[in-house]
């Protein structure tokens, strides 16, 4: 009896749910560093994670306007005159086209082509997709990324940018894919961050503008009032600030011994209601 070998019995479930998932078009893409799980139980927690300190941040992308999968086909092979048998799944890469071309986002994607991320997707019905790893919280889908698209409009197409995600293990994705319905609108929680700097205006005084690092866009009008209202909490080296809407600049009261004020981390900014930016670190 000692040589009797037990064989696993695999169940085969083909039933239909009484509460079917209402699938819809993919609208949002989020990435985390591999092994970092997304916090999505509330709008506040998801938004906070998009502003979290590294390495526990979720990287939200601008709105997705098209999704094109490529690959992920079941492969079969035949030996001699035997039947075709399953031989794995072909490599798969999905292209997520963003709402518009952004050269700075392409640059950031290129900087991270060797990084392994975990991907989460959210559709138009606020369904969040990830992997069922046996816990109550979905795990991300392991992927690597690279960009594609056109820098400028052509004769028949517009400038475009796509995030291409290559699945590390597409078979695992197909087997473990699962979904959670979010009880809030994901559009108000998903953020990607723009690095910004405080740049002095004029040769005298303490007047500053908030400037985007990429493209040098002036972001003062959007964030000036918020920064002024929370100056002591969101600025290092400052005790107060005022926003001059007419001239669109911040006047910052420096702390004793400080010559240059700086913005605090994105996690601090977010707790004070300032979303979507972080201080540039050269």
């Amino acid at each position: 009896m000692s040589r009797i070998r037990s064989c696993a019995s695999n169940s085969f479930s083909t039933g239909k749910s009484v509460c079917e998932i209402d699938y819809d078009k993919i609208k949002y893409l989020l990435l985390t560093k591999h092994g970092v799980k997304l916090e999505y139980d509330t709008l506040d927690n998801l938004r906070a994670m998009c502003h979290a300190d590294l390495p526990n941040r979720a990287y939200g992308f601008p709105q997705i306007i098209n999704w094109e999968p490529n690959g992920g086909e079941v492969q079969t092979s035949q030996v001699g005159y035997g039947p075709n048998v399953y031989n794995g799944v072909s490599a798969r890469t999905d292209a997520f086209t963003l709402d518009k071309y952004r050269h700075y986002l392409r640059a950031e994607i290129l900087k991270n082509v060797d990084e392994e991320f975990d991907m989460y997707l959210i559709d138009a019905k606020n369904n969040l997709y990830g992997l069922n790893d046996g816990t109550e919280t979905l795990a991300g889908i392991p992927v690597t990324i690279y960009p594609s698209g056109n820098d400028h409009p052509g004769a028949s197409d517009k400038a475009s940018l796509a995030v291409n995600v290559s699945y590390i293990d597409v078979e695992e994705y197909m087997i473990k894919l699962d979904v959670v319905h979010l009880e809030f609108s994901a559009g108000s929680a998903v953020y990607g961050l723009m690095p910004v700097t405080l740049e002095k205006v004029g040769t005298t005084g303490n007047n500053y503008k908030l400037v985007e690092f990429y493209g040098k866009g002036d972001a003062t009008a959007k964030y000036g009032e918020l920064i002024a209202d929370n100056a002591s909490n969101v600025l290092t080296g400052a005790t107060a600030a005022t926003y001059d809407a007419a001239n669109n600049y911040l006047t910052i009261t420096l702390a004793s011994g400080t010559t240059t004020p700086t913005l605090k981390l994105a996690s601090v900014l977010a707790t004070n209601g300032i979303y979507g930016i972080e201080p540039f670190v050269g």
Side-chain angles (χ1 to χ4, degrees):
M1 296 291 291
S2 61
R3 291 186 61 81
I4 296 177
R5 181 169 58 87
S6 298
C7 296
S9 176
N10 294 320
S11 62
F12 186 31
S13 302
T14 61
K16 184 176 72 172
S17 173
V18 297
C19 185
E20 293 286 1
I21 298 166
D22 191 9
Y23 303 99
D24 210 327
K25 297 181 178 68
I26 298 299
K27 296 293 289 293
Y28 302 103
L29 162 68
L30 295 109
L31 300 176
T32 62
K33 296 291 187 180
H34 181 54
V36 176
K37 280 194 169 184
L38 190 69
E39 297 180 16
Y40 53 80
D41 54 330
T42 67
L43 183 152
D44 288 341
N45 284 346
L46 179 54
R47 185 162 56 194
M49 195 167 180
C50 289
H51 295 81
D53 296 337
L54 301 178
N56 296 314
R57 179 176 296 170
Y59 303 91
F61 284 77
Q63 187 167 309
I64 304 299
I65 60 171
N66 193 44
W67 166 58
E68 291 186 13
N70 181 28
E73 303 293 338
V74 170
Q75 306 293 295
T76 61
S77 62
Q78 181 184 26
V79 177
Y81 42 77
N84 284 333
V85 295
Y86 174 73
N87 194 30
V89 181
S90 66
R92 173 171 164 175
T93 298
D94 292 358
F96 295 94
T97 303
L98 305 181
D99 57 350
K100 66 181 298 183
Y101 173 77
R102 297 172 176 87
H103 76 279
Y104 47 85
L105 184 50
R106 181 179 64 178
E108 291 296 323
I109 296 169
L110 278 172
K111 291 178 185 178
N112 288 276
V113 293
D114 294 324
E115 186 77 30
E116 186 174 339
F117 293 98
D118 288 345
M119 176 179 72
Y120 295 84
L121 301 172
I122 303 175
D123 70 17
K125 295 279 184 15
N126 290 307
N127 295 311
L128 181 141
Y129 302 87
L131 299 185
N132 187 338
D133 65 351
T135 69
E136 289 298 310
T137 304
L138 293 185
I141 304 157
V143 298
T144 58
I145 62 174
Y146 64 90
S148 63
N150 303 320
D151 292 34
H152 302 282
S156 60
D157 55 4
K158 294 183 177 181
S160 63
L161 176 63
V163 185
N164 297 274
V165 299
S166 298
Y167 291 71
I168 301 297
D169 188 338
V170 67
E171 186 175 45
E172 179 188 46
Y173 159 75
M174 290 180 168
I175 292 172
K176 295 184 178 181
L177 178 66
D178 209 343
V179 59
V180 169
H181 180 70
L182 304 179
E183 298 299 330
F184 55 85
S185 175
S188 56
V190 176
Y191 279 85
L193 303 186
M194 169 62 75
V196 295
T197 58
L198 283 169
E199 298 192 12
K200 192 168 183 179
V201 179
T203 57
T204 60
N206 291 310
N207 299 331
Y208 290 84
K209 280 186 174 291
L210 188 71
V211 181
E212 295 176 348
F213 174 72
Y214 288 110
K216 291 294 184 180
D218 187 349
T220 316
K222 180 174 182 179
Y223 295 102
E225 194 70 45
L226 288 169
I227 292 173
D229 290 345
N230 299 277
S232 60
N233 295 326
V234 302
L235 294 174
T236 298
T239 58
T242 58
Y243 173 60
D244 186 333
N247 295 296
N248 192 34
Y249 59 68
L250 287 157
T251 299
I252 298 176
T253 303
L254 300 179
S256 178
T258 300
T259 58
T260 304
T262 57
L263 278 176
K264 292 186 178 180
L265 295 175
S267 57
V268 178
L269 299 178
T271 60
N272 288 274
I274 301 173
Y275 306 118
I277 58 173
E278 65 175 338
F280 170 73
V281 179

